[in-house]
Amino acid sequence: MTPTLTPPPETVSPPATDERCDRCNAAGKLRITLAGGSELVFCGHHANKYAEDLVKITVRYASDPEFSWRGADLMAN
């Protein structure tokens, strides 16, 4: 089995301008890190549409500074 390295929280950065949504290929606005260390990128539409489900599997997240993710409030609770 290959070990998976999880980056420290301070190295999780928002999606780069050329990164695309894993659902629809639009510009990425949110990057989430899962418990196993893998990452997913979502556009604003899909990030907010699936926010309630994403907060259940998200360990860490980083969003574009100009994007307000609905899940941020849910994760704070």
Side-chain angles (χ1 to χ4, degrees):
M1 179 164 106
T2 304
T4 302
L5 299 175
T6 303
E10 61 273 3
T11 63
V12 177
S13 60
T17 56
D18 63 341
E19 288 189 279
R20 312 311 284 177
C21 176
D22 289 325
R23 290 284 297 173
C24 71
N25 206 29
K29 298 294 181 186
L30 175 76
R31 175 191 316 278
I32 66 168
T33 304
L34 306 176
S38 58
E39 296 180 335
L40 296 171
V41 174
F42 294 96
C43 66
H45 167 77
H46 285 115
N48 283 326
K49 180 177 180 179
Y50 299 113
E52 291 180 11
D53 294 324
L54 293 175
V55 297
K56 296 174 186 175
I57 62 170
T58 299
V59 175
R60 287 187 300 273
Y61 72 92
S63 63
D64 185 287
E66 297 175 8
F67 173 64
S68 178
W69 181 43
R70 189 169 63 93
D73 294 334
L74 297 172
M75 291 209 45
N77 294 334

